[in-house]
Each structure stands twice: as structure tokens, then as C-alpha cells.
């Protein structure tokens, strides 16, 4: 059985207006991320977005961690 190793980067923006997630293949990560100065406004449309219409995420998620398990086997 042969398995190719593929690497990706998930970026999460967690602000009071909502939570957004972007996905980038490892060879296409925006330079602002790799330089340590992320600018989400330039990343295009997020792959997932949960707007905070009735609450502030910082009120309910202030001590949580987001964990994405991308295991396929």
C-alpha cells in the first residue's frame, strides 16, 4: 500500500463577528502567514464561516481550542 504525504495549512480567524476557516495547500500558503503577520482580508473567501449573529464567540469560546482531525485512514 502506498500513501502519499500531503501537507496543508488551516488558518482560523476567531473574532467577535464570527469564526472563519481558510485552507491552503502547503505549497500555496500566503506569504503574510509565513512571515508571521497574517492579513485574512487578502485570503479570499473562507472555506467555512460561522457568523456570530446572536452572541460574541469570545464570551463562550475564550478558553477553548479548535482541533481539526484530517485523518483519512
Amino acid at each position: 500500500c502506498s500513501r502519499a504525504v500531503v501537507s496543508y495549512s488551516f488558518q482560523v480567524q476567531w473574532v467577535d463577528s464570527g469564526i472563519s476557516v481558510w485552507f491552503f495547500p502547503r505549497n500555496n500558503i500566503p506569504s503574510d502567514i509565513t512571515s508571521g503577520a497574517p492579513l485574512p482580508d487578502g485570503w479570499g473567501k473562507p472555506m467555512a464561516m460561522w457568523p456570530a449573529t446572536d452572541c460574541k464567540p469570545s464570551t463562550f469560546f475564550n478558553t477553548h481550542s479548535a482541533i481539526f482531525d484530517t485523518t483519512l485512514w
Side-chain angles (χ1 to χ4, degrees):
C1 178
S2 175
R3 294 183 184 168
V5 176
V6 181
S7 184
Y8 305 99
S9 175
F10 288 90
Q11 304 298 315
V12 178
Q13 182 185 45
W14 201 317
V15 295
D16 281 339
S17 60
I19 299 170
S20 299
V21 179
W22 289 265
F23 162 85
F24 303 102
R26 181 63 60 187
N27 64 352
N28 199 25
I29 298 172
S31 61
D32 58 307
I33 294 172
T34 58
S35 71
L39 299 168
D41 290 341
W43 300 345
K45 185 177 177 180
M47 67 176 287
M49 184 174 176
W50 296 276
T53 54
D54 297 325
C55 69
K56 288 181 11 181
S58 61
T59 301
F60 299 99
F61 296 102
N62 58 356
T63 60
H64 289 84
S65 298
I67 300 172
F68 293 90
D69 182 355
T70 59
T71 304
L72 299 176
W73 50 71

